[in-house]
């Protein structure tokens, strides 16, 4: 059986921002990301889960260097949606496992989450694609996480972050 | 300049499930996905955004056919975490845009969100990787969404869903 996971990647100069309690209606995500795009702010992960009581929150990660300009953009946006709030944290690391074989093996995500848990690492964000699972964790735990995942998935050397 | 987006994909036999208000501490995600894995339930997207007041919610998508077995698993899990609740919706479509050129162009996500908004389509979930942006929307709007995105990103034919 091919190895489900062929690489582990770490990006530890990240920050996360959340705009909470925006209306859950068409056009809101477009407004937020158009404003960020016009200000040339490069966003990494965009994560929005299920709405509650008609409002929703959108979380995204970006380079630490872009945090201040992004905050200025979001503060303008928040004025448009009364009740919305902005939160951020600039001590984030993104750790990812990648591999084409993942799709057919349901236990891979569980193994990643369990490896992080066994090392006392809390998962702050989760985002997945067919061949990649990414978790945002505290920046201080980035290296410990990568080493633990390496061991758990029996990989030899740290692979260069792949384009996935 | 290369086309940022080279394909649009649609999966419209999906369901989404949410386990709300679980403790935001290490081990919880591992418990949930180990149980799903042991029951051979294949999960597609896993989305967890930022916690609030020490609790968090985890949303995931899966084939409609797996909804009932997954519900049985989650109901057992929910007993372990008092205050947690399960919600689901089996009328979901996942629409994705893919393309290697996206990474360097911040406006691509905004354009996708705006195209959906202009067609009156509400975005229920968002999940991204470096070369793919996926949105969960109402199943009934799946085909309209794919056609609108096709036109917006000037693509000729619908590409087969890519492994990204
Ligand atoms: C919250 C936001 O994503 C909204 N549902 C939209 O479609 O823009
Ligand atoms: C909510 C859940 O993801 C928790 N933070 C964990 O690490 O398992």
């Amino acid at each position: 059986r091919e190895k489900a996971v062929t690489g582990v990647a770490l990006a530890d100069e990240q920050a996360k921002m959340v705009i909470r309690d925006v209306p859950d209606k068409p056009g809101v995500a477009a407004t937020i990301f158009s404003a960020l795009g016009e200000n040339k702010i490069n966003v990494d992960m965009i994560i929005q889960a299920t709405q509650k009581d008609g409002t929703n929150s959108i979380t995204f990660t970006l380079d630490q260097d872009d945090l201040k300009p992004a905050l200025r953009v979001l503060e303008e946006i928040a004025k448009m949606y009364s009740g919305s709030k902005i939160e951020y944290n600039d001590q984030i690391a993104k750790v990812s496992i990648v591999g084409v074989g993942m799709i057919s093996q349901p236990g891979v995500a569980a193994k990643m989450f369990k490896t992080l848990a066994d090392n006392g690492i809390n998962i702050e964000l989760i985002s997945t694609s067919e061949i990649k699972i990414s978790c945002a964790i505290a920046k201080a735990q980035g290296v410990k996480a990568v080493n633990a995942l390496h061991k758990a998935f029996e990989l030899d050397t740290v692979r260069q972050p792949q384009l996935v």
Side-chain angles (χ1 to χ4, degrees), chain A:
Chain A
R1 190 155 102 154
E2 78 181 300
K3 264 196 186 151
V5 174
T6 51
V8 177
L10 174 68
D12 66 358
E13 299 290 334
Q14 295 215 326
K16 75 172 177 179
M17 299 193 79
V18 186
I19 182 163
R20 281 202 192 277
D21 304 331
V22 292
D24 190 49
K25 60 180 190 354
V28 173
T31 301
I32 294 168
F33 289 94
S34 296
L36 289 166
E38 281 154 23
N39 285 273
K40 298 272 177 285
I41 292 165
N42 239 322
V43 167
D44 183 24
M45 297 195 289
I46 304 173
I47 299 176
Q48 176 197 308
T50 305
Q51 61 91 17
K52 193 169 182 182
D53 307 328
T55 66
N56 210 327
S57 299
I58 301 180
T59 302
F60 61 91
T61 59
L62 68 173
D63 274 355
Q64 283 177 326
D65 302 342
D66 285 334
L67 190 62
K68 282 217 172 54
L71 198 55
R72 275 197 295 279
V73 171
L74 279 203
E75 278 165 356
E76 283 309 306
I77 298 273
K79 290 179 188 159
M80 298 164 62
Y81 305 117
S82 73
S84 69
K85 293 180 286 296
I86 298 165
E87 294 167 18
Y88 63 90
N89 174 347
D90 66 355
Q91 295 299 320
I92 292 289
K94 177 176 82 168
V95 61
S96 308
I97 57 172
V98 295
V100 174
M102 272 190 212
I103 324 179
S104 48
Q105 302 181 25
V108 172
K111 188 169 172 180
M112 179 186 192
F113 300 156
K114 182 149 171 42
T115 304
L116 296 176
D118 290 348
N119 284 271
I121 298 171
N122 191 48
I123 303 168
E124 298 196 26
L125 305 173
I126 304 172
S127 178
T128 65
S129 76
E130 281 77 358
I131 57 173
K132 182 175 186 175
I133 302 174
S134 294
C135 292
I137 59 176
K139 178 174 174 167
Q141 298 182 307
V143 172
K144 179 165 73 169
V146 170
N147 291 336
L149 289 168
H150 245 206
K151 218 166 123 209
F153 291 104
E154 297 159 13
L155 300 168
D156 297 332
T157 55
V158 187
R159 300 227 341 185
Q160 281 316 307
Q162 293 167 331
L163 205 63
V164 284

